[in-house]
Amino acid sequence: MHDAFSGFPTNPALLLEAAFQAVAADGMRDLPFFHSQIPIRACGFQLFEQQWIGCMLTPWMLSLLVLPGPQQQWQPRQVGEKLALALPCGNVSFTLGEIDGCGQYLACSLMSPLDSSLRVDQALALAENSARMALSLPVVDGSLPSNPRRRALFRLQRGNGADA
């Protein structure tokens, strides 16, 4: 096990793409859920709270990734360990992974395997938009009831305030 994983001083997108290219070349292409038309692309990576966050698109999956940022040191953890992070979009559950050339990272699977009908342009747009949405604040509709319980919904519909 490593002592610590040093953060990436610059955007790790190209390193991630090279690392996942190596995984693809190492037998992934023969699997039935490998969609050769889909490129390997690290999309939308940017710093958020001193960590790199973005989406990794491959011919077999789409995942939201978090990697250590500049001047960070991540202590090694057990691959497969689960962690929850509070992002602007809400709480997101991640699984710790590790890949040669990049070290450890956190991954949240968004689509695995990929939908077989997904076109290249759709897959790339989905990856870019997913990265952007992870760091977007949720939209709150003021017309929704503040109490999501089913009984509260019935009270609003009846308008008399009696408990259902």
Side-chain angles (χ1 to χ4, degrees):
M1 191 175 257
H2 297 275
D3 292 332
F5 292 94
S6 296
F8 295 89
T10 60
N11 190 325
L14 293 177
L15 293 171
L16 284 167
E17 289 175 1
F20 279 90
Q21 286 284 359
V23 170
D26 194 24
M28 288 295 291
R29 296 180 193 284
D30 299 331
L31 297 174
F33 52 83
F34 188 93
H35 302 288
S36 58
Q37 77 279 10
I38 302 295
I40 293 176
R41 192 77 47 86
C43 298
F45 275 84
Q46 61 182 294
L47 282 173
F48 174 73
E49 294 186 358
Q50 301 306 306
Q51 298 179 101
W52 293 104
I53 186 166
C55 282
M56 191 71 220
L57 174 65
T58 70
W60 62 91
M61 60 90 178
L62 172 64
S63 290
L64 183 65
L65 298 188
V66 178
L67 293 97
Q71 294 141 16
Q72 281 197 327
Q73 293 285 316
W74 280 10
Q75 294 305 310
R77 295 180 178 265
Q78 184 68 38
V79 171
E81 185 177 335
K82 306 283 188 208
L83 296 167
L85 298 179
L87 297 177
C89 66
N91 294 332
V92 181
S93 179
F94 288 87
T95 303
L96 190 90
E98 188 170 340
I99 191 166
D100 288 340
C102 293
Q104 289 192 339
Y105 60 91
L106 297 174
C108 174
S109 177
L110 301 177
M111 187 183 293
S112 179
L114 292 180
D115 186 314
S116 60
S117 65
L118 204 58
R119 298 187 322 258
V120 172
D121 60 326
Q122 292 172 321
L124 290 169
L126 181 60
E128 289 288 344
N129 290 335
S130 295
R132 190 175 310 111
M133 287 174 55
L135 297 179
S136 298
L137 293 173
V139 176
V140 178
D141 183 348
S143 66
L144 295 175
S146 60
N147 186 346
R149 295 182 313 139
R150 188 177 184 116
R151 289 175 181 239
L153 178 62
F154 291 132
R155 275 196 304 271
L156 289 173
Q157 288 177 342
R158 287 194 309 221
N160 64 7
D163 202 28

